[in-house]
Amino acid sequence: EMEAKYTRKMQALRDEMDLRRKTEIHELEERKNTQISELMGNHEGAFGAIKNYYNDITAKNLTLINLLKEQVEDLKKKEAVLEKEKADVLVQNKGLTEPLREAQELVAELQKKLVHYYRDKEALMNSKAHLKITQKELKDLQWEHEVLEQRFSKVQAERDELYQKFTKAINEVQQKTGFKNLLLERKLQGLLNLLEEKEVELNKVVTASNLDPSALSLVSHKLEDMLSSKNATIKDLQLQLARVCKAHNDMLQTFEAKMTAFGIPVDNLGFQPLSFPFPGQ
């Protein structure tokens, strides 16, 4: 009974499980069929898209091939034209060989000139820099020149004033000295004339008196004493004259030294200062 009971339960369980299995299998098949349908639809859509894509690519490629064929034809034509132009250019090149050589020589020469140009440019820049420095120095010198001009004007005014005063003093001294020299010379000439007259009178007196030798000797001694006194007077006058001449000449030397110190040429006086000669010169 138990075996029959469990056999029935087993059979029932088998039937239940078989039914569940069939149900699950059916559900799986439905989901599978649904997925297959979806996949087939997706694949058909993708295939159509791919087909359209490749159809477009094929069409484009055909168009491109046709275009390239046309371009190849054009290129062949251009190549033929270029070959002809090449032949013409080769002929022209043969004719341009000599100008090319000349041009190359010209380029070499221009390159040398370019090197010199850079050197000259650098030298010009240095010269400009030096010129700026020189211009600055020139401005400084011009400023110093203006200052010196002002100082020179001031010194020149002082010089003119001194020159006027000195000229006036020289004229006064020259007048006084010339007058004194004239008086001394006239006095000396008068003494000399008087001496000559006295000698003439003495000779006449001696000749007319017929004095004896002793008296004549006494007169001669007296005359010699008188002459010695007159000669001493003459020497004193000559010494005075020499001192006056020396003072005048010293004054002229001092005046010329002052003019030289102030930078005034002696020729600017307008006259030549007269140096008196010393007696005996």
Side-chain angles (χ1 to χ4, degrees):
E1 287 178 359
M2 288 179 68
E3 184 178 359
K5 183 180 179 180
Y6 280 103
T7 300
R8 286 192 300 273
K9 287 184 177 180
M10 180 67 70
Q11 186 63 40
L13 182 62
R14 283 182 180 177
D15 291 337
E16 184 180 357
M17 294 299 294
D18 187 29
L19 180 60
R20 185 180 293 177
R21 179 180 60 78
K22 287 181 180 180
T23 302
E24 290 178 355
I25 288 172
H26 181 68
E27 290 177 355
L28 287 173
E29 284 180 354
E30 286 181 356
R31 286 197 300 270
K32 180 188 72 173
N33 291 330
T34 302
Q35 289 179 358
I36 288 172
S37 298
E38 290 177 356
L39 288 173
M40 288 180 67
N42 292 332
H43 288 168
E44 285 178 359
F47 179 74
I50 292 172
K51 185 177 180 181
N52 292 329
Y53 174 73
Y54 282 106
N55 286 332
D56 292 338
I57 290 176
T58 302
K60 289 179 181 179
N61 287 336
L62 289 173
T63 305
L64 183 62
I65 288 170
N66 292 327
L67 181 61
L68 290 174
K69 284 182 180 179
E70 292 176 358
Q71 290 180 357
V72 167
E73 292 295 329
D74 293 337
L75 289 174
K76 286 182 178 179
K77 292 178 181 178
K78 289 181 180 179
E79 184 180 5
V81 174
L82 290 174
E83 285 292 335
K84 185 177 179 181
E85 291 179 355
K86 178 183 176 181
D88 296 336
V89 168
L90 289 174
V91 174
Q92 291 178 0
N93 285 340
K94 289 181 180 179
L96 292 174
T97 302
E98 183 64 23
L100 177 62
R101 185 181 62 79
E102 294 177 356
Q104 288 176 346
E105 293 177 355
L106 180 61
V107 167
E109 185 178 356
L110 290 175
Q111 286 177 347
K112 293 180 180 178
K113 290 183 178 180
L114 183 62
V115 173
H116 293 299
Y117 167 75
Y118 287 133
R119 292 178 183 173
D120 295 338
K121 186 177 180 181
E122 185 178 0
L124 179 61
M125 293 176 65
N126 294 331
S127 299
K128 287 182 178 179
H130 184 67
L131 179 61
K132 289 182 179 179
I133 296 172
T134 306
Q135 287 177 347
K136 185 178 181 301
E137 292 178 353
L138 178 61
K139 289 181 180 178
D140 295 338
L141 289 174
Q142 286 176 347
W143 181 77
E144 292 180 0
H145 177 69
E146 291 178 0
V147 174
L148 290 174
E149 282 286 344
Q150 294 176 359
R151 291 177 61 188
F152 175 73
S153 299
K154 184 177 179 181
V155 171
Q156 195 172 23
E158 294 177 355
R159 180 206 65 183
D160 293 338
E161 184 179 357
L162 276 172
Y163 174 71
Q164 291 175 359
K165 291 181 180 179
F166 209 69
T167 304
K168 184 177 179 182
I170 283 180
N171 291 331
E172 292 177 356
V173 171
Q174 279 186 338
Q175 290 176 1
K176 292 179 181 179
T177 305
F179 183 68
K180 192 172 182 179
N181 289 339
L182 183 61
L183 290 176
L184 291 173
E185 288 177 356
R186 287 183 178 179
K187 190 174 181 180
L188 180 60
Q189 188 64 36
L191 291 174
L192 291 174
N193 293 332
L194 181 60
L195 178 61
E196 290 178 358
E197 290 176 0
K198 294 296 182 182
E199 288 180 352
V200 171
E201 290 177 359
L202 180 61
N203 290 328
K204 289 180 179 179
V205 170
V206 169
T207 305
S209 60
N210 293 320
L211 295 174
D212 58 350
S214 59
L216 185 59
S217 176
L218 181 59
V219 172
S220 296
H221 284 301
K222 288 182 179 181
L223 185 58
E224 286 177 0
D225 292 337
M226 186 185 300
L227 290 175
S228 297
S229 176
K230 296 298 182 182
N231 288 330
T233 303
I234 291 171
K235 287 181 180 180
D236 290 337
L237 291 173
Q238 287 178 344
L239 288 174
Q240 291 180 15
L241 181 61
R243 282 195 297 269
V244 172
C245 291
K246 185 176 185 305
H248 175 75
N249 293 334
D250 291 341
M251 181 191 65
L252 286 179
Q253 291 178 0
T254 304
F255 176 67
E256 291 177 356
K258 288 290 184 181
M259 290 184 67
T260 304
F262 282 105
I264 306 170
V266 182
D267 297 336
N268 288 350
L269 285 175
F271 62 92
Q272 182 64 35
L274 182 60
S275 296
F276 288 103
F278 294 110
Q281 293 181 346

